[in-house]
């Protein structure tokens, strides 16, 4: 059964790549969802749905293997858990606008500095880039959220 899944994943990837110049990001995401749904309906094997926390744990495991310190891993965990608790949206449906609003709300609620918000932005950017690299999401919504300018002393 596994041998059938890889060619299907490859076929979906090829179809998505062929359509990239004709569809915007939301249309591409929808096309990806429809292809997965329709092409897996015929398979007897049930596709396991991964929740947001499982993605976070896989990310942290990858970072641990890369050699991140316990302190860094803890900072990633706290940052991502806080975002996931405030924004209850599946990661595949996360948008740049939602994340911008989250960062702005976080800064207002916690009255924190631009440096702190930029650190959070950096951690979330790393998380979403990893999700994109691992093909769990089509495109990182953090790509369009740039470094936050901080004053110099």
């Amino acid at each position: 059964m596994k041998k059938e899944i890889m060619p299907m994943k490859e076929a979906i990837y090829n179809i998505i790549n062929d359509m990239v110049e004709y569809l915007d990001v939301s249309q591409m995401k929808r096309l990806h969802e429809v292809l997965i749904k329709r092409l897996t309906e015929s398979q007897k094997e049930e596709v396991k749905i991964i929740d947001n926390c499982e993605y976070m744990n896989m990310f942290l495991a990858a970072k641990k293997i890369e050699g991140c310190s316990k302190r860094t891993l803890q900072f990633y965990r706290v940052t991502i858990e806080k975002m996931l608790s405030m924004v209850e949206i599946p990661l595949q449906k996360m948008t740049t606008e939602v994340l911008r609003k989250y960062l702005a709300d976080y800064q207002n609620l916690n009255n924190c500095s631009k440096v702190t918000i930029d650190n959070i932005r950096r951690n979330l950017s790393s998380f979403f880039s990893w999700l994109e690299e691992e093909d769990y999401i089509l495109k990182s919504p953090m790509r369009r959220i740039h470094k936050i300018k901080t004053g110099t002393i």
Side-chain angles (χ1 to χ4, degrees), residues 3-44:
K3 288 183 180 177
E4 293 174 21
I5 293 173
M6 281 313 283
M8 182 186 70
K9 267 185 141 178
E10 201 172 299
I12 290 171
Y13 180 79
N14 290 336
I15 291 167
I16 297 288
N17 278 339
D18 290 346
M19 295 303 293
V20 92
E21 63 187 88
Y22 303 106
L23 305 174
D24 64 33
V25 173
S26 64
Q27 291 170 326
M28 292 295 289
K29 285 180 182 177
R30 183 67 184 137
L31 174 61
H32 186 261
E33 290 167 2
V34 169
L35 286 170
I36 295 286
K37 180 181 176 196
R38 295 296 180 204
L39 294 174
T40 57
E41 275 180 353
S42 61
Q43 293 182 352
K44 307 261 189 255

Side-chain angles (χ1 to χ4, degrees), residues 32-142:
H32 186 261
E33 290 167 2
V34 169
L35 286 170
I36 295 286
K37 180 181 176 196
R38 295 296 180 204
L39 294 174
T40 57
E41 275 180 353
S42 61
Q43 293 182 352
K44 307 261 189 255
E45 189 176 299
E46 199 170 302
V47 177
K48 184 181 180 233
I49 296 172
I50 301 173
D51 74 357
N52 290 349
C53 287
E54 286 181 75
Y55 285 119
M56 178 190 66
N57 290 331
M58 292 186 308
F59 168 74
L60 293 171
K63 288 297 180 184
K64 184 176 183 178
I65 289 168
E66 289 175 14
C68 287
S69 70
K70 286 183 180 181
R71 186 170 175 245
T72 300
L73 293 171
Q74 183 59 22
F75 189 39
Y76 275 130
R77 177 180 295 284
V78 168
T79 303
I80 296 166
E81 279 178 344
K82 218 171 259 188
M83 184 271 298
L84 293 177
S85 71
M86 299 295 290
V87 183
E88 296 176 349
I89 297 174
L91 291 169
Q92 290 83 354
K93 295 185 185 225
M94 198 71 69
T95 64
T96 300
E97 293 73 26
V98 167
L99 290 169
R100 274 193 187 122
K101 183 177 180 342
Y102 167 74
L103 290 171
D105 291 349
Y106 187 95
Q107 186 174 25
N108 289 335
L109 287 171
N110 298 293
N111 197 26
C112 49
S113 70
K114 289 181 178 183
V115 172
T116 301
I117 291 300
D118 194 54
N119 288 337
I120 292 167
R121 179 204 59 80
R122 224 173 357 93
N123 280 0
L124 294 177
S125 183
S126 180
F127 177 53
F128 281 99
S129 292
W130 178 85
L131 289 169
E132 181 181 350
E133 289 167 13
E134 296 292 320
D135 293 327
Y136 293 121
I137 60 174
L138 195 57
K139 182 180 176 188
S140 169
M142 292 298 294

